[in-house]
Amino acid sequence: MIHDTQMDYYGTPLATCSSDRSVKIFGVCNGGQILIADLRGHEGPVWQVAWAHPMYGNILASCSYDRKVIIWREENGTWEKSHEHAGHDSSVNSVCWAPHDYGLILACGSSDGAISLLTYTGEGQWEVKKINNAHTIGCNAVSWAPAVVPGSLVDQPSGQKPNYIKKFASGGCDNLIKLWKEEEDGQWKEEQKLEAHSDWVQDVAWAPSIGLSTSTIASCSQDGRVFIWTCDDASGNTWSPKLLHKFSDVMWHVSWSITANILAVSGGDNKELQMQPQIDHLP
Amino acid sequence: MEKMSRVTTALGGSVLTGRTMHCHLDAPANAISVCRDAAQVVVAGRSIFKIYAIEEEQFVEKLNLRVGRKPSLNLSCADVVWHQMDENLLATAATNGVVVTWNLGRPSRNKQDQLFTEHKRTVNKVCFHPTEAHVLLSGSQDGFMKCFDLRRKDSVSTFSGQSESVRDVQFSIRDYFTFASTFENGNVQLWDIRRPDRCERMFTAHNGPVFCCDWHPEDRGWLATGGRDKMVKVWDMTTHRAKEMHCVQTIASVARVKWRPECRHHLATCSMMVDHNIYVWDVRRPFVPAAMFEEHRDVTTGIAWRHPHDPSFLLSGSKDSSLCQHLFRDASQPVERANPEGLCYGLFGDLAFAAKESLVAAESGRKPYTGDRRHPIFFKRKLDPAEPFAGLASSALSVFETEPGGGAMRWFVDTAERYALAGRPLAELCDHNAKVARELGRNQVAQTWTMLRTIYCSPGLLPTANLSHSMGKGGSCGLQLMNSFNLKDMAPGLGSETRLDRSKGDARSDTVLLDSSATLITNEDNEETEGSDVPADYLLGDVEGEDDELYLLDPEHTHPEEPECVLLQEAFPLRHEIVDTPPGPEHLQDKADSPHVSGSEADVASLAPVDSSFSLLSVSHALYDSRLPPDFFSVLVRDMLHFYAEQGDVQMAVSVLIVLGERVRKDIDEQTQEHWYTSYIDLLQRFRLWNVSNEVVKLSTSRAVSCLNQASTTLHVNCSHCKRPMSSRGWVCDRCHRCASMCAVCHHVVKGLFVWCQGCSHGGHLQHIMKWLEGSSHCPAGCGHLCEYS
């Protein structure tokens, strides 16, 4: 059973992961598809895959029930395991790469309730930061906020890295969506708690900020509801939920189009499937 | 068979109740076994051998079988089994190789009944015949299996596996004479109890030791085996060759496997190391456990279903010295948490979607939402096509395209490639872009471009004048940009001059221009009435955005009448074209979009394409007549840009921003502009439109954006005297306190293009060096080097 599909930055290769422990990469061209790679290395069902920005090369992260996160890298046409992170005590449910501006940072949400952040420090080394007990019972989804430079009008001395505020959202079994922000000392702190769902949050997706002044997050839950959260406020503290739709069944996924005006949602049980791309009219 | 069914009925009446609970044992358990009444459980270990009663709320210790002052090794149990027909009969396998039977009916404290000391090494497993009261089977580390008749003092027969240690022996439930045995070398053997000379069948089941096996309680031929290779395999033994039916992959080596009663496809496993959990698997879903019990803190050593016909109670003993009763409904169910669907929005607006096959099959019959055309172009994969259940465990992956062929974002790529953003007069740019948009069926966008043209390109000029006027405009814009860019491009190249201030650069270019046409500037205001003056305009465009715009509109006011006919000739047919050929999609689009328009921007709504040609004209006329202030439009344009950006069409916003340049720039806050630029550039890069993206970067007026082109190239310069790296950004070296970049010819500091010989690192102004080299090929600094320049 395929648990996740992800297209890469350029929309061509498609990565899928499955409970048969495999991660597969397909090339999609003109209505056909070729299996490019079949990555074996996990010892349990693979829940999610994520492509890193191509400026770092072809890198794919996958997370699995076997409590591991594997980072795969393509070199000279062959895919190989480049790093294995085994820092979780339970199934790792979600992986998401940070915007490329921050460097190679991977957020992983696990059923042990923790979220770990892997930062590439060069020469094959990864630094691990862990947010323990981020969500009680477990974390199901993580999604990074697009990179925004605070007060971009302020003149940045050239050559110096802009001072990004790193943020991401996570959804968990405590029915909450939490927003996390990196403090100046590099520690992650819970910034916001968004409460509206009445059951496990299955997926969160932070909308790409293309031409929009507001921040937007979509979330879906076991309770069948899909919410759109918006924040107009510059400080990022007031989020207002808007119920997009209440479906009769579990909603598993939300996914934004790149221009952030179409949201695809999917869910359903054995009998029913809903897929409802819908244009979201932002205020 | 007959006896078996009697047992069943005897047990059938009782109803099990209880809850998830555990009790602490004094020592680690090695094995457990349940009495046939489902109310007692025996726990055996190296230093424990007790019977517990399973009560509603708790376990109650009932009997300690470990008696005597100095317990013998015979009491150190590796395995224990309770007879399924005789409630008083138990057998244990001791680590010293002794097989002991126990009779609970004995009146004395010591219930030990018989001792069989035939095995030479640890006995791993004992097993009673399911229907024959007196037959006991044992399997030992020494590689032998022995069958005992409890009415006799020694074994009836000995079976030699002819291979390594025996890990498990199990009587077949349905075949009276058959038993299976598993070995450390990965083999499974099938024996007929009457034929001790050789096994009926042997096959290699696992890679590495096979630790356990279990016959299916109902299916005659099914045998489940578990091994160190972390797999549980289900074999169909009825066929000529053992056929692998299912293979479950666990995350640790499998120590015990037990079929779940009343659930044909379920089995429970526990592991030997690492993993302390007990899993219940559906063999048809080989990767995700159906249920998981996480109570134990150390390796689980024994598992047993409490009642052979009750699927919800599972008992377990563990190395953590605890005995647990698990209720199936309290188990965590990873399957329920497993996400059955994958969904991803592709770059080109296509949707990759993977779901259970059954779902997709059902879906194909349903009507998709309107406007969508689906092209499932992907593949199907089945794990086991024979099973009706297979749908649950396999997925179909489809890629849906919102439009046949190109995908929904095709327009974006086309538009980006074909738009003209600079280098031509504004009117032409607008016309061109309108045409592009129209050809791509984006009529609203096309209309916008036409409107922009009407607003910003003065209809009050003769065609020629108009052309040159706009040319001047475009040229001035372009030139200004070129100037600033050239300077900026040079700056990092100089190394010593990296922080050349942009404003300074501008000022400089301005001065140059002023020098050449200073007189025109002074007269300019007066000369407006005499028609547009190209050089003057040129200059103004450079100096101040506001004046520029004012000036742009002014000619329209001053020549309202004269060129009217020209306007009609030129502009009207264009608009009529649009109005006359409104294809279906336009209406659709208008309908779809107009609500937002009217909702958010009343002004823009009046300009909405439905009746735009008229309203637009009237607006323009009104403008000419009433002489509205020049920023009348900029508000509209600003709102329009915001509108497009919020619609997700940041491309339009940026394109207009670039094309109109100074005319609108000041109306939109710089941060927003920068955001649009970066968003658009990011999008372009995703679509691999590097050239377009580069052009946009180049044309952008936002400083942060235009820096992007220069971000990745850095030049490190060494001092020409002391050969140390130049750390500061000046022209003076920190270390030797001398000017580093002196021209070897004129001995002045080079603040601009510096050319030097890579051999001797002497150099200077490009022109000076060029001139010098005409006469000599030696270094001008006199170092004697034969300089080489390429």
mmCIF file of all heavy atoms in Angstrom, chain B residues 219-235:
data_model
loop_
_atom_site.group_PDB
_atom_site.id
_atom_site.type_symbol
_atom_site.label_atom_id
_atom_site.label_comp_id
_atom_site.label_asym_id
_atom_site.label_seq_id
_atom_site.Cartn_x
_atom_site.Cartn_y
_atom_site.Cartn_z
ATOM 1 N N ASP B 219 -7.341 -24.434 9.596
ATOM 2 C CA ASP B 219 -6.904 -24.845 8.277
ATOM 3 C C ASP B 219 -5.915 -25.975 8.401
ATOM 4 O O ASP B 219 -4.827 -25.818 8.920
ATOM 5 C CB ASP B 219 -6.265 -23.655 7.564
ATOM 6 C CG ASP B 219 -7.178 -23.125 6.499
ATOM 7 O OD1 ASP B 219 -7.522 -23.923 5.613
ATOM 8 O OD2 ASP B 219 -7.542 -21.943 6.567
ATOM 9 N N ARG B 220 -6.283 -27.057 7.895
ATOM 10 C CA ARG B 220 -5.509 -28.281 8.028
ATOM 11 C C ARG B 220 -4.049 -28.110 7.622
ATOM 12 O O ARG B 220 -3.157 -28.515 8.336
ATOM 13 C CB ARG B 220 -6.208 -29.325 7.152
ATOM 14 C CG ARG B 220 -5.530 -30.608 6.947
ATOM 15 C CD ARG B 220 -6.348 -31.400 5.920
ATOM 16 N NE ARG B 220 -6.460 -32.792 6.315
ATOM 17 C CZ ARG B 220 -7.366 -33.243 7.182
ATOM 18 N NH1 ARG B 220 -8.223 -32.398 7.731
ATOM 19 N NH2 ARG B 220 -7.416 -34.515 7.489
ATOM 20 N N GLY B 221 -3.832 -27.497 6.528
ATOM 21 C CA GLY B 221 -2.476 -27.538 6.005
ATOM 22 C C GLY B 221 -1.597 -26.346 6.341
ATOM 23 O O GLY B 221 -0.458 -26.282 5.930
ATOM 24 N N TRP B 222 -2.118 -25.372 7.066
ATOM 25 C CA TRP B 222 -1.346 -24.157 7.244
ATOM 26 C C TRP B 222 -0.420 -24.236 8.444
ATOM 27 O O TRP B 222 -0.836 -24.528 9.559
ATOM 28 C CB TRP B 222 -2.270 -22.962 7.410
ATOM 29 C CG TRP B 222 -2.833 -22.483 6.104
ATOM 30 C CD1 TRP B 222 -2.932 -23.203 4.946
ATOM 31 C CD2 TRP B 222 -3.377 -21.193 5.841
ATOM 32 N NE1 TRP B 222 -3.499 -22.431 3.970
ATOM 33 C CE2 TRP B 222 -3.791 -21.203 4.489
ATOM 34 C CE3 TRP B 222 -3.563 -20.050 6.595
ATOM 35 C CZ2 TRP B 222 -4.363 -20.079 3.885
ATOM 36 C CZ3 TRP B 222 -4.137 -18.931 6.008
ATOM 37 C CH2 TRP B 222 -4.537 -18.955 4.658
ATOM 38 N N LEU B 223 0.816 -23.920 8.187
ATOM 39 C CA LEU B 223 1.794 -23.880 9.258
ATOM 40 C C LEU B 223 2.481 -22.523 9.207
ATOM 41 O O LEU B 223 2.954 -22.105 8.161
ATOM 42 C CB LEU B 223 2.825 -25.000 9.063
ATOM 43 C CG LEU B 223 3.941 -25.057 10.100
ATOM 44 C CD1 LEU B 223 3.415 -25.563 11.432
ATOM 45 C CD2 LEU B 223 5.076 -25.971 9.612
ATOM 46 N N ALA B 224 2.506 -21.873 10.365
ATOM 47 C CA ALA B 224 3.215 -20.594 10.425
ATOM 48 C C ALA B 224 4.565 -20.835 11.077
ATOM 49 O O ALA B 224 4.670 -21.559 12.059
ATOM 50 C CB ALA B 224 2.421 -19.580 11.243
ATOM 51 N N THR B 225 5.612 -20.260 10.518
ATOM 52 C CA THR B 225 6.940 -20.399 11.117
ATOM 53 C C THR B 225 7.541 -19.018 11.282
ATOM 54 O O THR B 225 7.281 -18.117 10.490
ATOM 55 C CB THR B 225 7.878 -21.229 10.222
ATOM 56 O OG1 THR B 225 7.971 -20.589 8.940
ATOM 57 C CG2 THR B 225 7.386 -22.643 10.029
ATOM 58 N N GLY B 226 8.332 -18.889 12.344
ATOM 59 C CA GLY B 226 8.983 -17.596 12.568
ATOM 60 C C GLY B 226 10.458 -17.809 12.769
ATOM 61 O O GLY B 226 10.872 -18.797 13.380
ATOM 62 N N GLY B 227 11.260 -16.896 12.262
ATOM 63 C CA GLY B 227 12.699 -17.113 12.336
ATOM 64 C C GLY B 227 13.481 -15.891 12.748
ATOM 65 O O GLY B 227 12.918 -14.811 12.951
ATOM 66 N N ARG B 228 14.772 -16.110 12.834
ATOM 67 C CA ARG B 228 15.648 -15.001 13.203
ATOM 68 C C ARG B 228 15.727 -13.970 12.083
ATOM 69 O O ARG B 228 16.118 -12.840 12.298
ATOM 70 C CB ARG B 228 17.051 -15.535 13.521
ATOM 71 C CG ARG B 228 17.888 -14.532 14.288
ATOM 72 C CD ARG B 228 19.224 -15.099 14.650
ATOM 73 N NE ARG B 228 20.033 -15.404 13.463
ATOM 74 C CZ ARG B 228 21.183 -16.047 13.503
ATOM 75 N NH1 ARG B 228 21.664 -16.478 14.656
ATOM 76 N NH2 ARG B 228 21.865 -16.279 12.397
ATOM 77 N N ASP B 229 15.344 -14.380 10.874
ATOM 78 C CA ASP B 229 15.384 -13.439 9.748
ATOM 79 C C ASP B 229 14.228 -12.447 9.794
ATOM 80 O O ASP B 229 13.917 -11.801 8.812
ATOM 81 C CB ASP B 229 15.410 -14.192 8.418
ATOM 82 C CG ASP B 229 14.197 -15.099 8.254
ATOM 83 O OD1 ASP B 229 13.346 -15.124 9.157
ATOM 84 O OD2 ASP B 229 14.114 -15.789 7.229
ATOM 85 N N LYS B 230 13.581 -12.344 10.950
ATOM 86 C CA LYS B 230 12.530 -11.367 11.212
ATOM 87 C C LYS B 230 11.268 -11.614 10.388
ATOM 88 O O LYS B 230 10.498 -10.703 10.157
ATOM 89 C CB LYS B 230 13.024 -9.938 10.945
ATOM 90 C CG LYS B 230 14.289 -9.601 11.703
ATOM 91 C CD LYS B 230 14.774 -8.215 11.349
ATOM 92 C CE LYS B 230 16.075 -7.926 12.076
ATOM 93 N NZ LYS B 230 16.603 -6.622 11.750
ATOM 94 N N MET B 231 11.128 -12.818 9.910
ATOM 95 C CA MET B 231 9.960 -13.079 9.093
ATOM 96 C C MET B 231 9.090 -14.168 9.700
ATOM 97 O O MET B 231 9.578 -15.060 10.385
ATOM 98 C CB MET B 231 10.386 -13.507 7.695
ATOM 99 C CG MET B 231 10.888 -12.333 6.876
ATOM 100 S SD MET B 231 11.030 -12.778 5.168
ATOM 101 C CE MET B 231 12.785 -12.942 5.043
ATOM 102 N N VAL B 232 7.808 -14.029 9.428
ATOM 103 C CA VAL B 232 6.874 -15.091 9.745
ATOM 104 C C VAL B 232 6.348 -15.565 8.410
ATOM 105 O O VAL B 232 5.917 -14.757 7.588
ATOM 106 C CB VAL B 232 5.697 -14.565 10.601
ATOM 107 C CG1 VAL B 232 4.680 -15.669 10.836
ATOM 108 C CG2 VAL B 232 6.192 -14.003 11.909
ATOM 109 N N LYS B 233 6.430 -16.871 8.182
ATOM 110 C CA LYS B 233 5.948 -17.376 6.907
ATOM 111 C C LYS B 233 4.817 -18.351 7.154
ATOM 112 O O LYS B 233 4.823 -19.096 8.134
ATOM 113 C CB LYS B 233 7.071 -18.061 6.135
ATOM 114 C CG LYS B 233 8.116 -17.058 5.650
ATOM 115 C CD LYS B 233 9.214 -17.733 4.869
ATOM 116 C CE LYS B 233 10.238 -16.684 4.420
ATOM 117 N NZ LYS B 233 11.340 -17.291 3.667
ATOM 118 N N VAL B 234 3.875 -18.306 6.271
ATOM 119 C CA VAL B 234 2.751 -19.230 6.367
ATOM 120 C C VAL B 234 2.850 -20.183 5.194
ATOM 121 O O VAL B 234 2.954 -19.759 4.040
ATOM 122 C CB VAL B 234 1.411 -18.465 6.338
ATOM 123 C CG1 VAL B 234 0.251 -19.443 6.414
ATOM 124 C CG2 VAL B 234 1.346 -17.485 7.486
ATOM 125 N N TRP B 235 2.867 -21.473 5.523
ATOM 126 C CA TRP B 235 3.072 -22.491 4.487
ATOM 127 C C TRP B 235 1.818 -23.312 4.315
ATOM 128 O O TRP B 235 1.141 -23.644 5.281
ATOM 129 C CB TRP B 235 4.227 -23.421 4.882
ATOM 130 C CG TRP B 235 5.490 -22.698 5.197
ATOM 131 C CD1 TRP B 235 5.862 -22.203 6.405
ATOM 132 C CD2 TRP B 235 6.523 -22.369 4.289
ATOM 133 N NE1 TRP B 235 7.077 -21.574 6.291
ATOM 134 C CE2 TRP B 235 7.518 -21.663 5.001
ATOM 135 C CE3 TRP B 235 6.733 -22.601 2.911
ATOM 136 C CZ2 TRP B 235 8.681 -21.194 4.404
ATOM 137 C CZ3 TRP B 235 7.889 -22.139 2.333
ATOM 138 C CH2 TRP B 235 8.854 -21.431 3.068
#
